[in-house]
Amino acid sequence: MKFRWNLAPSQPLLTGQLIRELPLSPLLAQCLVNRGVVTKEEVNAYLKPKLKLLADPFLIPNMEVAIERLWEARSNNERLLVYGDYDADGITSTALLVEALTELGWNVQAYLPGRFDDGYGLSPISVEKCMRQFEINLLLAVDCGSTSNEAIDCLNKNNIDVIVLDHHQLSTPPPKPVAIVNPQLNNNYPNFQELCSVGLAFKLIHAIVKKGRQEGLQKERDLDLKQYLDLVAIGTVTDLVPLVGENRKLLRFGLEQLSETTRPGLIALKKIVNITPPVSVFNVGFNLGPRINAAGRMENPAAALNLLLSKDNCTAEKNAKILDDFNRDRQRIERDISTKAIENIKNKFDPQTDFVIVEGDMEWHLGVIGIVASRVMRKFYRPTFILARDGDGWKGSARSIEGFDLAEAMRDCDDLLNDHGGHAMAAGVSVKPGKLDAFRERINEIAKKSIRPEMFQAPLKLDAETNLSEMTLVRIKEMQQIEPTGQGNPEIQLLIPNLTMSSPVYRMGKEKQHVKFWANDERESCEVIAWNLKPQDEPKGKFDLAVAPQVNNFNGRLSVQLKLIDWRPTET
């Protein structure tokens, strides 16, 4: 068993009520209850979301103050600078705001900081650059700014007002802009706390349109907000925010918009990676998102912003090619560093003492170490910090396991760090020169107080125990109603016990690394597919399977296929 299996408890009272009130199978009812969807009203809202039921954007803290300042800027034709970030969330946020605010009459310019020469987020270095490069009356910082006290103080002293539109945790004390539009400021509407910055950018434009329509303004009346949902879909998937509440609604309609987008840049990018409608979460997460991220990882995010704002096919195709080339370089460098990092760690890894992995090399590329940290974390299933040169010190990315909060742990290492920020499961860090060994020792001491040995085996959450007779096309299509799936709204995963193989294993792929076989339970049989399964890891004898059911479409012929996640011998 690769995973620690956790089977969700059956909840007959809740599922029974849903089955009586709605046309649901017991299996889907259980899966919905597992996701916290427990009433008839919640099920209807979840399975049949409506954009017109999106929450009032003015419920987000300080939205009203921000809109009033923006209104004043438009009335006075002030120069507004949208300051974004170099990842896909920051880039899509910037593109959405520049496009919508320009359309609605603001005097807008954009600036995206570089990963390698501008520091982290809204930094004093980049603020100085912006003040030299642009004439600014108002700066709108998106996907950054919640911890940028020094930079915002500098802007305030230069009579430049600042609005922060961000979803990250705030510093203590917080900075002092005109408004911090950040759902983390209170718990009054928890759904907003799951939004990434492009979701907040959409809500800001939603608020502007709402106010404008109330005042009878024609431009706001004519603006169709749906046109921006393709950008919201990309930022939401790539930033790995939970797909619940507002996020799930925005993504569901965003994927539809992305499938039929008229945006030349996205048409060109879809073409270069051979994506055809309907666009899926997988397409965004593994095809489109990495290419948009690659610009900021490898060089400068400007090419990605230029792609999204392209007005003609020629410019769009040129920028799509640039991003595709960046992505190829990123993949090559990432593979090389991952191989070296894993080799280094294997040579010295002690599972008894190394609760947290901290590995660095002065020659590694800063732009890809976040991806490398994810690979290393999955390989060893330990909280992982991967670091590279940052002047005389170290800068890097961290990824965690369930139950260990990176952001909280790093707060107890403040004296060893220049800077740190992020979330419980993913974070960035800058280690002071000469303090790497001390940081490795401290972070491991902290981890040993909270991590129990069983936490080093990754949990596998299973929705229900069922049998092969339930695995029909009708049932699988019913379960697909929970899509889009991803962070916070996982694909349905089931336990099917007491199986044996009813066919020889068929190996496929260039290196014969993938397998297909048929499994049966003495009454029914079903095809199982397993990716990257070594011969020694194939199921043997009588076994239980943990699977994700899916529909296989082969030349128009639909059939049920079970994607293998893990297996274990059946207990006798």
Side-chain angles (χ1 to χ4, degrees), residues 184-240:
Q184 306 301 330
L185 283 165
N186 68 42
N187 295 315
N188 293 351
Y189 201 90
N191 266 337
F192 287 145
Q193 295 189 333
E194 310 296 0
L195 290 170
C196 60
S197 289
V198 74
L200 287 170
F202 181 85
K203 298 301 284 189
L204 181 87
I205 302 303
H206 183 188
I208 287 171
V209 167
K210 183 173 181 178
K211 177 177 169 65
R213 287 177 180 175
Q214 286 169 348
E215 294 183 6
L217 301 180
Q218 192 62 44
K219 284 184 176 178
E220 279 81 349
R221 189 177 291 152
D222 292 342
L223 192 75
D224 182 5
L225 288 168
K226 279 183 70 176
Q227 67 183 298
Y228 305 116
L229 288 174
D230 49 3
L231 297 174
V232 176
I234 292 171
T236 298
V237 172
T238 54
D239 219 47
L240 300 176

Side-chain angles (χ1 to χ4, degrees), residues 232 390 481 520:
V232 176
D390 180 34
Q481 292 178 90
N520 72 40

Side-chain angles (χ1 to χ4, degrees), residues 277-313:
V279 177
S280 66
V281 170
F282 179 88
N283 293 147
V284 177
F286 290 90
N287 303 131
L288 301 177
R291 284 164 174 80
I292 291 169
N293 265 324
R297 290 188 185 281
M298 302 308 298
E299 196 173 285
N300 186 289
L305 183 61
N306 292 340
L307 173 96
L308 297 178
L309 295 177
S310 296
K311 298 300 181 189
D312 63 88
N313 294 335

Side-chain angles (χ1 to χ4, degrees), residues 551-564:
V551 175
N552 181 43
N553 186 341
F554 183 72
N555 292 334
R557 180 176 168 272
L558 303 182
S559 62
V560 173
Q561 196 173 62
L562 304 178
K563 182 179 72 175
L564 181 67

Side-chain angles (χ1 to χ4, degrees), residues 350-494:
D350 182 348
Q352 303 305 313
T353 59
D354 295 333
F355 277 46
V356 179
I357 291 168
V358 180
E359 186 67 24
D361 189 306
M362 284 291 189
E363 301 305 314
W364 286 348
H365 193 295
L366 264 175
V368 303
I369 52 178
I371 308 170
V372 174
S374 295
R375 284 182 180 270
V376 172
M377 185 278 291
R378 288 195 300 269
K379 174 77 175 174
F380 294 92
Y381 204 69
R382 307 271 156 143
T384 298
F385 289 77
I386 300 293
L387 304 150
R389 181 199 299 272
D390 180 34
D392 295 329
W394 299 87
K395 188 175 182 180
S397 290
R399 300 293 182 268
S400 197
I401 65 173
E402 193 170 293
F404 184 69
D405 187 326
L406 289 171
E408 185 179 326
M410 287 192 294
R411 282 195 282 274
D412 292 332
C413 302
D414 266 336
D415 56 312
L416 306 173
L417 305 176
N418 291 316
D419 195 13
H420 59 87
H423 307 283
M425 301 297 283
V429 64
S430 173
V431 182
K432 290 178 179 176
K435 298 296 183 183
L436 184 61
D437 289 338
F439 172 67
R440 181 184 290 111
E441 187 176 332
R442 175 90 58 83
I443 202 79
N444 268 282
E445 286 172 4
I446 293 165
K448 285 169 187 173
K449 294 173 185 174
S450 61
I451 296 179
R452 302 181 305 279
E454 65 270 19
M455 291 165 64
F456 289 133
Q457 187 177 25
L460 174 60
K461 294 176 181 175
L462 298 166
D463 280 291
E465 181 176 323
T466 188
N467 52 59
L468 292 181
S469 63
E470 279 283 296
M471 297 297 97
T472 63
L473 282 173
V474 170
R475 186 67 64 242
I476 308 305
K477 287 181 177 178
E478 182 199 34
M479 290 191 287
Q480 286 175 339
Q481 292 178 90
I482 76 152
E483 295 176 351
T485 57
Q487 198 84 6
N489 185 43
E491 66 179 353
I492 290 174
Q493 300 179 149
L494 303 171

Side-chain angles (χ1 to χ4, degrees), residues 27 47 54 72 98 122 136 154 170 179 184 207 236 244 256 308 317 327 371 402 423 456 465 489 497 516:
L27 189 54
L47 297 182
L54 286 175
E72 180 187 330
V98 168
L122 183 65
I136 318 167
C154 175
L170 287 97
Q184 306 301 330
T236 298
V244 297
E256 290 178 9
L308 297 178
E317 287 169 7
N327 194 54
I371 308 170
E402 193 170 293
H423 307 283
F456 289 133
E465 181 176 323
N489 185 43
K516 277 185 185 179

Side-chain angles (χ1 to χ4, degrees), residues 106-124:
W106 272 268
N107 180 358
V108 188
Q109 292 176 291
Y111 183 83
L112 292 179
R115 186 185 293 262
F116 308 107
D117 49 15
D118 278 323
Y120 179 76
L122 183 65
S123 68

